[in-house]
Structure formats: structure tokens, C-alpha cells
Amino acid sequence: MLLNMNDKIRLTQYSVGGGCGCKISPADLEQIISSCEKSKINDARLLVGNENMDDAAVYDLKNGQVLISTTDFFTPIVDDPFDFGRIASINAMSDVYAMGGKPIFALAILGWPLAKLSAETAARVIEGARSVCGSVGILIAGGHSIDIPEPVFGLVVNGLAPIESFKQNSKATAGCRLFLSKPLGIGAISNAAKNSKVKPSDYNESIEWMTRLNTLGPAVATLKGLKAMTDVTGFGLGGHLLEVCKGSNLVAELDFDALPLLHGFTDYIAQGCIPGGTRRNFKSYGHLIEPMEEERRMIICDPQTSGGLLMAVEPDSIPEFLSIVKHENAFVKEIGFLETKKDETELIRFKK
């Protein structure tokens, strides 16, 4: 049956996964892209490719700036088409912000089951995306669409940054303090919503955070003491922190009690509202984290959608960093630190 905008639409019922929780697991992705190295073309102007699982590709324009290019798309994580368009767009832009850049234009990626959902509903998704792009002064300059069984939407986003201040996830140094700019819990709360177990206030809070732009990224990227930055999305805090640790050859110590959590997160875990992506994440990288109880695993591995920035800041730069955060009216929470790797096989441990 074809549903249009006059019917009550629950987009999340048209897909198995949702948001960044439908990403391929870190272990499977590593196996898939390993073949790329065999046919790698050397280009000195490509400053960042897929070597360290970074957020976007970076290309030297030879004019003092770099082009930052990324793409991100997923199945619905919310039921409202307009909100789906907003969240998917903000999530895609986040990769550019996480590398210290500012978006300049976008292209849309739309997959739509026209036999089930009307073109009018798809148009509402695009309207949500345009509202976000318009809020930061960029256009959706084109795109591509296909008719497929599950709804999918996202953007290709291109941005610019000064060559001296773009950031990577692999340049952290020992002693850096770790900061996170959004609370965790999107995966479990979205799963609770899909199963009609979520409280409206918790659901609305999750949407508020998912629709918050990570514009803090380029604001703090000018700091030389901000050594590494990435955004926390489908691989969970554990997966994206491990990318920092592996790329920088460091070990992280997390203060678990300091982690910011969305309201109700642990309650939904207790109710079994755990997305499949959480367990896939743990299976992929759990062996690199200090042994922990079940609830901690579900928190560390919870797949985020349009999550916050994870930032590694040298201690001497923290006062200036926090001053910028305050000026940007942003949220950050210190959650741990990085230190030199010795002989440990575990790259993430917890404060005792």
C-alpha cells in the first residue's frame, strides 16, 4: 500500500537498521577496503585518503586551502520525514566539521521505495535537508536518486579549510586530554522508539542533539594544541576512539563516570533496547578494550547518529580551548586522556 503525507507515516518501520547503526561493522569494513591498497594511485596532493579510517578525504588545492570531501547516507532513524532529512544532512556535514572545515556545497543521495512511500514524502525529506543546508549558507547543488526497497537518504558534502589547520584522527600526542561534545545513547533510544518503548521527552531530547550542528569543529581547529579530532557515529565511542589510538599509537584511559549520557539511556539498555550495531561493534573491537560488564559494553559500543566531536587537546591549550567552546555556546565534557603505548594489547582502559 502506498502511503502519502496524509497518512501516519513511521519511516523507521520501512528499514531493518536505522541511522548510523546500519553501517557495516568496523571489522567487515576493514576487510572490504583492504583491497583498495592493492590498486592505490599515488597523488601527492591527496593528503588524507583511507589509510587511517579518517572522516573525509582531503585534497591540497595549492592555494593555502584544502578541499574536504565526504559522503554519508543511511536508512531512517526517526519517523518524521522532515526530521530524517535534517538529521541525515547534519550527520553528513559533521565529517567536514570534524576535520576543521566549513561546507561549501552538497549533493543529495536518495533511495526511495516508491511502491510503498509517496514522492511527496520523499520531497519532505529533501525539504528537511535544504533547511539545514540553508542555515549554514550552502546549496544542495544536485544529486542522484534510485527506486529501492528501503528508504535511504544522505549527502555528499564538500568543504574548505586552511591547510595549516585541518585536523585528522591520527595526530594525537601522549598527554592529550579527551573531550566529547554530545552525550551518548542515540542507538538505544532510537531502538526504543522503533519498538514503541521510548518516553516522548527522551525521544525529543535525542532529536535535539542529532539536529545540533558540529560547527565547533572549525572554531577549535585553529588551535595548534588540538592535535586530533573526529566525530562519533556508527562505530560508537569505542570504535572511533580506537581509530585515534591506533593512528596515533597511543592508549586511552576513559573516566567512565564522566561520560555524558542521554536521559534514560541505561534504562533502555536494561529493557533490552539494544540495536544490532552495538553487538556488531563489540564483536569487531571489544578485544581491544579492557574487560567490562555488559552495561558498559552497551554504552561504549552504542552506535551514534549525528554524534558529537571527540577531541584530543594538549593540557597547555585547554584554557584557550574552553574559551572558544564558551564563545561558541557549545557543550563539551572531559572524558579521559591519552598516553604512550607500551606492550598493551588493550588500547582503551578505564579509570579505577
Side-chain angles (χ1 to χ4, degrees):
M1 180 180 69
L2 176 66
L3 286 180
N4 58 44
M5 289 298 295
N6 294 320
D7 300 306
K8 185 172 178 58
I9 296 169
R10 293 197 65 191
L11 285 183
T12 56
Q13 303 306 304
Y14 290 87
S15 60
V16 176
C20 290
C22 66
K23 289 176 71 170
I24 291 174
S25 74
D28 290 331
L29 180 60
E30 187 173 351
Q31 181 180 355
I32 291 168
I33 67 173
S34 64
S35 61
C36 296
E37 294 300 312
K38 299 175 184 178
S39 58
K40 185 175 180 179
I41 299 173
N42 291 322
D43 185 344
R45 295 175 67 176
L46 183 64
L47 304 182
V48 180
N50 58 18
E51 296 84 3
N52 292 309
M53 304 292 286
D54 227 317
D55 295 299
V58 179
Y59 194 80
D60 186 357
L61 296 177
K62 294 297 183 181
N63 63 355
Q65 291 187 305
V66 293
L67 173 68
I68 301 174
S69 186
T70 185
T71 183
D72 214 314
F73 53 91
F74 46 63
T75 54
I77 191 168
V78 292
D79 290 321
D80 181 78
F82 188 83
D83 283 342
F84 176 38
R86 290 200 298 155
I87 292 167
S89 301
I90 290 169
N91 181 76
M93 287 184 194
S94 184
D95 287 339
V96 172
Y97 290 133
M99 300 197 75
K102 295 182 179 180
I104 54 173
F105 73 92
L107 303 172
I109 300 168
L110 176 70
W112 206 251
L114 287 168
K116 304 174 186 176
L117 293 167
S118 69
E120 182 185 7
T121 305
R124 188 66 176 154
V125 175
I126 300 296
E127 287 174 19
R130 282 180 174 154
S131 72
V132 166
C133 291
S135 73
V136 296
I138 69 169
L139 295 173
I140 298 178
H144 187 66
S145 60
I146 59 173
D147 190 342
I148 57 174
E150 293 188 8
V152 171
F153 182 73
L155 296 179
V156 174
V157 184
N158 293 287
L160 297 173
I163 193 168
E164 69 274 6
S165 64
F166 81 88
K167 300 298 180 183
Q168 294 181 250
N169 66 3
S170 59
K171 303 297 182 181
T173 55
C176 280
R177 313 300 294 188
L178 294 169
F179 293 85
L180 186 62
S181 71
K182 290 186 184 182
L184 305 171
I186 293 296
I189 290 174
S190 299
N191 184 272
K194 189 169 184 175
N195 290 286
S196 302
K197 294 181 178 181
V198 74
K199 295 179 181 178
S201 58
D202 296 340
Y203 183 68
N204 291 336
E205 182 192 21
S206 71
I207 292 177
E208 193 281 325
W209 280 106
M210 284 190 284
T211 53
R212 185 175 296 192
L213 289 156
N214 280 326
T215 51
L216 177 64
V220 296
T222 56
L223 281 178
K224 293 188 181 300
L226 191 152
K227 308 305 291 185
M229 183 160 57
T230 188
D231 63 338
V232 179
T233 55
F235 297 159
L237 175 62
H240 293 287
L241 179 54
L242 282 170
E243 290 173 349
V244 174
C245 292
K246 289 178 181 178
S248 307
N249 198 31
L250 299 170
V251 173
E253 179 171 302
L254 283 181
D255 181 352
F256 191 86
D257 292 334
L259 295 180
L261 306 179
L262 288 170
H263 187 268
F265 183 12
T266 56
D267 292 336
Y268 295 121
I269 290 175
Q271 294 177 48
C273 298
I274 298 166
T278 301
R279 300 195 187 280
R280 287 196 301 272
N281 284 341
F282 183 75
K283 184 178 180 181
S284 293
Y285 58 68
H287 61 288
L288 296 174
I289 306 177
E290 177 183 311
M292 51 188 162
E293 62 190 30
E294 175 78 359
E295 182 180 89
R296 286 195 174 190
R297 289 202 296 269
M298 299 303 99
I299 291 172
I300 294 296
C301 301
D302 187 70
Q304 305 306 290
T305 297
S306 191
L309 299 173
L310 176 63
M311 296 161 282
V313 186
E314 290 181 331
D316 290 346
S317 295
I318 289 177
E320 189 176 0
F321 169 76
L322 293 177
S323 177
I324 296 172
V325 169
K326 183 178 180 180
H327 181 267
E328 295 294 315
N329 195 31
F331 167 91
V332 298
K333 188 73 180 293
E334 186 173 347
I335 62 170
F337 65 91
L338 297 165
E339 63 180 22
T340 303
K341 184 177 184 295
K342 299 181 178 66
D343 298 323
E344 302 97 330
T345 55
E346 296 161 358
L347 299 182
I348 298 176
R349 61 171 183 262
F350 301 102
K351 179 182 177 181
K352 304 302 182 185

